[in-house]
Short mmCIF file of all heavy atoms in Angstrom, two decimals:
data_model
loop_
_atom_site.label_atom_id
_atom_site.label_comp_id
_atom_site.label_asym_id
_atom_site.label_seq_id
_atom_site.Cartn_x
_atom_site.Cartn_y
_atom_site.Cartn_z
N GLY A 1 -6.72 10.22 9.57
CA GLY A 1 -6.08 10.39 10.85
C GLY A 1 -4.82 9.55 10.93
O GLY A 1 -4.17 9.27 9.91
N SER A 2 -4.46 9.13 12.10
CA SER A 2 -3.28 8.27 12.25
C SER A 2 -3.57 6.91 11.61
O SER A 2 -4.56 6.27 11.95
CB SER A 2 -2.94 8.08 13.73
OG SER A 2 -2.62 9.32 14.32
N PRO A 3 -2.73 6.45 10.69
CA PRO A 3 -3.02 5.21 9.98
C PRO A 3 -2.97 4.00 10.90
O PRO A 3 -2.23 3.96 11.88
CB PRO A 3 -1.94 5.15 8.90
CG PRO A 3 -0.82 5.99 9.42
CD PRO A 3 -1.47 7.07 10.23
N ALA A 4 -3.77 3.00 10.54
CA ALA A 4 -3.80 1.75 11.29
C ALA A 4 -4.26 0.65 10.36
O ALA A 4 -4.96 0.89 9.37
CB ALA A 4 -4.75 1.85 12.49
N VAL A 5 -3.85 -0.57 10.67
CA VAL A 5 -4.28 -1.73 9.88
C VAL A 5 -4.53 -2.87 10.85
O VAL A 5 -3.77 -3.09 11.79
CB VAL A 5 -3.23 -2.09 8.80
CG1 VAL A 5 -1.87 -2.36 9.40
CG2 VAL A 5 -3.70 -3.27 7.96
N ALA A 6 -5.62 -3.58 10.64
CA ALA A 6 -6.01 -4.65 11.56
C ALA A 6 -6.80 -5.70 10.78
O ALA A 6 -7.18 -5.50 9.64
CB ALA A 6 -6.85 -4.10 12.71
N GLY A 7 -7.02 -6.83 11.44
CA GLY A 7 -7.84 -7.88 10.84
C GLY A 7 -7.12 -9.20 10.69
O GLY A 7 -7.75 -10.24 10.57
N ARG A 8 -5.79 -9.14 10.66
CA ARG A 8 -4.97 -10.35 10.59
C ARG A 8 -3.83 -10.24 11.60
O ARG A 8 -3.31 -9.14 11.84
CB ARG A 8 -4.40 -10.57 9.19
CG ARG A 8 -5.45 -11.01 8.17
CD ARG A 8 -4.83 -11.23 6.80
NE ARG A 8 -5.82 -11.60 5.81
CZ ARG A 8 -6.08 -12.85 5.45
NH1 ARG A 8 -5.41 -13.85 6.01
NH2 ARG A 8 -6.99 -13.11 4.53
N PRO A 9 -3.43 -11.35 12.18
CA PRO A 9 -2.33 -11.32 13.15
C PRO A 9 -1.09 -10.69 12.54
O PRO A 9 -0.66 -11.07 11.45
CB PRO A 9 -2.11 -12.80 13.49
CG PRO A 9 -3.43 -13.45 13.20
CD PRO A 9 -4.00 -12.72 12.02
N GLY A 10 -0.53 -9.73 13.23
CA GLY A 10 0.69 -9.08 12.77
C GLY A 10 0.48 -7.98 11.77
O GLY A 10 1.46 -7.34 11.34
N ALA A 11 -0.77 -7.71 11.37
CA ALA A 11 -1.01 -6.69 10.35
C ALA A 11 -0.50 -5.32 10.79
O ALA A 11 0.01 -4.54 9.97
CB ALA A 11 -2.49 -6.63 10.01
N GLU A 12 -0.65 -5.02 12.09
CA GLU A 12 -0.22 -3.71 12.57
C GLU A 12 1.28 -3.50 12.43
O GLU A 12 1.77 -2.36 12.41
CB GLU A 12 -0.64 -3.51 14.03
CG GLU A 12 0.04 -4.42 15.03
CD GLU A 12 -0.58 -5.82 15.12
OE1 GLU A 12 -1.53 -6.11 14.36
OE2 GLU A 12 -0.11 -6.60 15.96
N ASP A 13 2.03 -4.60 12.29
CA ASP A 13 3.48 -4.48 12.15
C ASP A 13 3.88 -3.85 10.82
O ASP A 13 5.03 -3.43 10.64
CB ASP A 13 4.16 -5.85 12.28
CG ASP A 13 4.03 -6.42 13.68
OD1 ASP A 13 3.75 -5.64 14.61
OD2 ASP A 13 4.17 -7.65 13.84
N LEU A 14 2.94 -3.79 9.87
CA LEU A 14 3.25 -3.16 8.59
C LEU A 14 3.68 -1.71 8.77
O LEU A 14 4.46 -1.19 7.96
CB LEU A 14 2.03 -3.20 7.67
CG LEU A 14 1.82 -4.47 6.84
CD1 LEU A 14 0.52 -4.38 6.07
CD2 LEU A 14 2.98 -4.71 5.90
N LEU A 15 3.18 -1.06 9.80
CA LEU A 15 3.54 0.34 10.02
C LEU A 15 5.01 0.51 10.36
O LEU A 15 5.55 1.62 10.27
CB LEU A 15 2.66 0.93 11.11
CG LEU A 15 1.21 1.18 10.68
CD1 LEU A 15 0.32 1.40 11.89
CD2 LEU A 15 1.14 2.37 9.74
N SER A 16 5.67 -0.57 10.75
CA SER A 16 7.11 -0.49 11.01
C SER A 16 7.92 -0.57 9.72
O SER A 16 9.14 -0.43 9.76
CB SER A 16 7.54 -1.61 11.97
OG SER A 16 7.40 -2.88 11.35
N ARG A 17 7.25 -0.83 8.61
CA ARG A 17 7.89 -0.83 7.29
C ARG A 17 7.21 0.26 6.45
O ARG A 17 6.34 -0.02 5.62
CB ARG A 17 7.75 -2.19 6.62
CG ARG A 17 8.25 -3.38 7.44
CD ARG A 17 9.76 -3.34 7.62
NE ARG A 17 10.48 -3.48 6.37
CZ ARG A 17 10.84 -4.64 5.84
NH1 ARG A 17 10.51 -5.78 6.45
NH2 ARG A 17 11.52 -4.70 4.72
N PRO A 18 7.56 1.53 6.68
CA PRO A 18 6.79 2.64 6.11
C PRO A 18 6.62 2.59 4.59
O PRO A 18 5.53 2.87 4.09
CB PRO A 18 7.59 3.88 6.53
CG PRO A 18 8.31 3.45 7.76
CD PRO A 18 8.65 2.00 7.55
N LYS A 19 7.68 2.22 3.85
CA LYS A 19 7.52 2.24 2.39
C LYS A 19 6.55 1.17 1.94
O LYS A 19 5.73 1.40 1.04
CB LYS A 19 8.87 2.10 1.69
CG LYS A 19 8.74 2.22 0.17
CD LYS A 19 10.08 2.40 -0.52
CE LYS A 19 10.59 3.81 -0.40
NZ LYS A 19 11.75 4.09 -1.28
N ARG A 20 6.59 0.02 2.55
CA ARG A 20 5.67 -1.04 2.16
C ARG A 20 4.23 -0.70 2.56
O ARG A 20 3.29 -0.99 1.83
CB ARG A 20 6.13 -2.38 2.74
CG ARG A 20 7.43 -2.81 2.05
CD ARG A 20 7.98 -4.12 2.51
NE ARG A 20 9.21 -4.44 1.76
CZ ARG A 20 9.92 -5.52 1.91
NH1 ARG A 20 9.57 -6.45 2.80
NH2 ARG A 20 11.01 -5.72 1.18
N PHE A 21 4.08 -0.07 3.71
CA PHE A 21 2.75 0.40 4.08
C PHE A 21 2.28 1.48 3.10
O PHE A 21 1.11 1.52 2.72
CB PHE A 21 2.74 0.96 5.50
CG PHE A 21 1.37 1.39 5.95
CD1 PHE A 21 0.47 0.47 6.46
CD2 PHE A 21 0.98 2.72 5.82
CE1 PHE A 21 -0.80 0.86 6.85
CE2 PHE A 21 -0.30 3.11 6.21
CZ PHE A 21 -1.18 2.18 6.73
N ALA A 22 3.20 2.34 2.67
CA ALA A 22 2.85 3.38 1.71
C ALA A 22 2.40 2.77 0.38
O ALA A 22 1.46 3.27 -0.25
CB ALA A 22 4.03 4.31 1.49
N VAL A 23 3.06 1.71 -0.06
CA VAL A 23 2.63 1.02 -1.29
C VAL A 23 1.19 0.53 -1.12
O VAL A 23 0.35 0.69 -2.01
CB VAL A 23 3.57 -0.14 -1.63
CG1 VAL A 23 3.00 -1.00 -2.76
CG2 VAL A 23 4.96 0.38 -2.02
N LEU A 24 0.90 -0.08 0.02
CA LEU A 24 -0.45 -0.56 0.28
C LEU A 24 -1.45 0.59 0.29
O LEU A 24 -2.53 0.49 -0.34
CB LEU A 24 -0.48 -1.28 1.64
CG LEU A 24 -1.85 -1.75 2.13
CD1 LEU A 24 -2.41 -2.82 1.21
CD2 LEU A 24 -1.75 -2.27 3.57
N ALA A 25 -1.13 1.67 0.97
CA ALA A 25 -2.04 2.82 1.04
C ALA A 25 -2.28 3.41 -0.34
O ALA A 25 -3.42 3.75 -0.68
CB ALA A 25 -1.46 3.88 1.98
N TRP A 26 -1.23 3.52 -1.13
CA TRP A 26 -1.39 4.07 -2.48
C TRP A 26 -2.25 3.16 -3.34
O TRP A 26 -3.17 3.64 -4.02
CB TRP A 26 -0.02 4.27 -3.11
CG TRP A 26 -0.11 4.73 -4.53
CD1 TRP A 26 -0.48 5.97 -4.97
CD2 TRP A 26 0.15 3.95 -5.70
NE1 TRP A 26 -0.47 6.02 -6.34
CE2 TRP A 26 -0.08 4.80 -6.81
CE3 TRP A 26 0.57 2.65 -5.92
CZ2 TRP A 26 0.08 4.35 -8.13
CZ3 TRP A 26 0.74 2.21 -7.22
CH2 TRP A 26 0.50 3.05 -8.31
N LEU A 27 -2.00 1.87 -3.31
CA LEU A 27 -2.81 0.94 -4.11
C LEU A 27 -4.28 1.00 -3.68
O LEU A 27 -5.18 0.86 -4.51
CB LEU A 27 -2.28 -0.48 -3.95
CG LEU A 27 -0.98 -0.81 -4.66
CD1 LEU A 27 -0.51 -2.21 -4.29
CD2 LEU A 27 -1.14 -0.71 -6.18
N ALA A 28 -4.52 1.22 -2.40
CA ALA A 28 -5.89 1.23 -1.90
C ALA A 28 -6.62 2.53 -2.24
O ALA A 28 -7.86 2.54 -2.27
CB ALA A 28 -5.88 1.03 -0.38
N CYS A 29 -5.88 3.62 -2.49
CA CYS A 29 -6.51 4.93 -2.65
C CYS A 29 -6.34 5.57 -4.02
O CYS A 29 -7.05 6.53 -4.33
CB CYS A 29 -5.94 5.91 -1.63
SG CYS A 29 -6.34 5.53 0.07
N ALA A 30 -5.40 5.08 -4.81
CA ALA A 30 -5.10 5.74 -6.08
C ALA A 30 -6.33 5.84 -6.96
O ALA A 30 -7.18 4.95 -6.97
CB ALA A 30 -3.98 5.00 -6.80
N GLN A 31 -6.41 6.95 -7.68
CA GLN A 31 -7.50 7.18 -8.61
C GLN A 31 -6.98 7.15 -10.04
O GLN A 31 -5.90 7.68 -10.31
CB GLN A 31 -8.16 8.53 -8.32
CG GLN A 31 -8.82 8.61 -6.96
CD GLN A 31 -10.14 7.90 -6.91
OE1 GLN A 31 -11.09 8.32 -7.55
NE2 GLN A 31 -10.20 6.81 -6.17
N PRO A 32 -7.72 6.60 -11.00
CA PRO A 32 -8.96 5.86 -10.78
C PRO A 32 -8.68 4.57 -10.02
O PRO A 32 -7.58 4.03 -10.05
CB PRO A 32 -9.46 5.57 -12.20
CG PRO A 32 -8.24 5.59 -13.04
CD PRO A 32 -7.32 6.60 -12.42
N THR A 33 -9.70 4.07 -9.33
CA THR A 33 -9.53 2.88 -8.51
C THR A 33 -9.30 1.66 -9.39
O THR A 33 -9.55 1.66 -10.59
CB THR A 33 -10.77 2.65 -7.64
OG1 THR A 33 -11.93 2.54 -8.50
CG2 THR A 33 -10.98 3.78 -6.67
N GLY A 34 -8.84 0.60 -8.76
CA GLY A 34 -8.61 -0.64 -9.50
C GLY A 34 -7.14 -0.85 -9.77
O GLY A 34 -6.27 -0.42 -9.00
N PHE A 35 -6.86 -1.53 -10.86
CA PHE A 35 -5.48 -1.90 -11.17
C PHE A 35 -4.64 -0.68 -11.51
O PHE A 35 -5.09 0.23 -12.21
CB PHE A 35 -5.45 -2.91 -12.32
CG PHE A 35 -5.86 -4.29 -11.91
CD1 PHE A 35 -7.17 -4.70 -12.01
CD2 PHE A 35 -4.92 -5.17 -11.39
CE1 PHE A 35 -7.56 -5.98 -11.62
CE2 PHE A 35 -5.29 -6.44 -10.98
CZ PHE A 35 -6.61 -6.85 -11.10
N GLN A 36 -3.40 -0.69 -10.99
CA GLN A 36 -2.43 0.37 -11.25
C GLN A 36 -1.23 -0.23 -11.98
O GLN A 36 -0.83 -1.36 -11.71
CB GLN A 36 -1.96 1.00 -9.94
CG GLN A 36 -3.09 1.49 -9.04
CD GLN A 36 -3.92 2.58 -9.67
OE1 GLN A 36 -3.40 3.40 -10.42
NE2 GLN A 36 -5.22 2.59 -9.37
N ARG A 37 -0.66 0.54 -12.87
CA ARG A 37 0.49 0.04 -13.61
C ARG A 37 1.72 -0.02 -12.71
O ARG A 37 1.97 0.89 -11.91
CB ARG A 37 0.79 0.92 -14.82
CG ARG A 37 -0.28 0.82 -15.92
CD ARG A 37 0.18 1.47 -17.20
NE ARG A 37 1.41 0.87 -17.72
CZ ARG A 37 1.45 -0.27 -18.42
NH1 ARG A 37 0.33 -0.94 -18.67
NH2 ARG A 37 2.60 -0.73 -18.86
N ARG A 38 2.47 -1.10 -12.85
CA ARG A 38 3.70 -1.24 -12.07
C ARG A 38 4.68 -0.11 -12.36
O ARG A 38 5.40 0.33 -11.47
CB ARG A 38 4.36 -2.60 -12.36
CG ARG A 38 3.61 -3.79 -11.77
CD ARG A 38 4.26 -5.10 -12.18
NE ARG A 38 3.51 -6.25 -11.71
CZ ARG A 38 3.84 -7.00 -10.67
NH1 ARG A 38 4.94 -6.71 -9.98
NH2 ARG A 38 3.11 -8.03 -10.32
N ASP A 39 4.71 0.35 -13.61
CA ASP A 39 5.62 1.44 -13.96
C ASP A 39 5.33 2.68 -13.12
O ASP A 39 6.25 3.40 -12.72
CB ASP A 39 5.51 1.79 -15.44
CG ASP A 39 6.11 0.72 -16.34
OD1 ASP A 39 6.83 -0.15 -15.82
OD2 ASP A 39 5.86 0.76 -17.56
N ARG A 40 4.04 2.94 -12.88
CA ARG A 40 3.68 4.09 -12.07
C ARG A 40 4.14 3.91 -10.63
O ARG A 40 4.63 4.85 -10.00
CB ARG A 40 2.16 4.29 -12.12
CG ARG A 40 1.68 5.56 -11.44
CD ARG A 40 0.17 5.69 -11.51
NE ARG A 40 -0.31 6.84 -10.74
CZ ARG A 40 -1.55 7.00 -10.32
NH1 ARG A 40 -2.47 6.08 -10.58
NH2 ARG A 40 -1.89 8.06 -9.63
N ALA A 41 4.02 2.69 -10.13
CA ALA A 41 4.44 2.41 -8.76
C ALA A 41 5.95 2.57 -8.59
O ALA A 41 6.41 3.22 -7.64
CB ALA A 41 4.01 1.01 -8.35
N ILE A 42 6.71 2.01 -9.51
CA ILE A 42 8.16 2.08 -9.33
C ILE A 42 8.66 3.50 -9.56
O ILE A 42 9.63 3.93 -8.94
CB ILE A 42 8.90 1.06 -10.22
CG1 ILE A 42 8.71 1.34 -11.70
CG2 ILE A 42 8.48 -0.35 -9.87
CD1 ILE A 42 9.50 0.40 -12.60
N GLY A 43 8.00 4.26 -10.44
CA GLY A 43 8.37 5.65 -10.63
C GLY A 43 8.10 6.49 -9.40
O GLY A 43 8.79 7.48 -9.13
#
């Protein structure tokens, strides 16, 4: 649904930085889970 982030003061402000929030969302959801190569992220 509509994305949201909470749990730490100011966490919701991440949504005002869409690309950085997108990096977080991708790292949290990418398959296979776990560590992702930086080359894949920058590409």
Side-chain angles (χ1 to χ4, degrees):
S2 298
V5 57
R8 287 181 182 264
E12 66 279 3
D13 293 341
L14 275 176
L15 287 164
S16 67
R17 306 293 296 271
K19 184 167 283 191
R20 292 181 179 181
F21 183 83
V23 171
L24 175 65
W26 175 72
L27 287 174
C29 293
Q31 296 283 293
T33 58
F35 284 93
Q36 307 298 326
R37 291 192 59 80
R38 288 176 184 257
D39 288 347
R40 187 181 174 199
I42 64 176

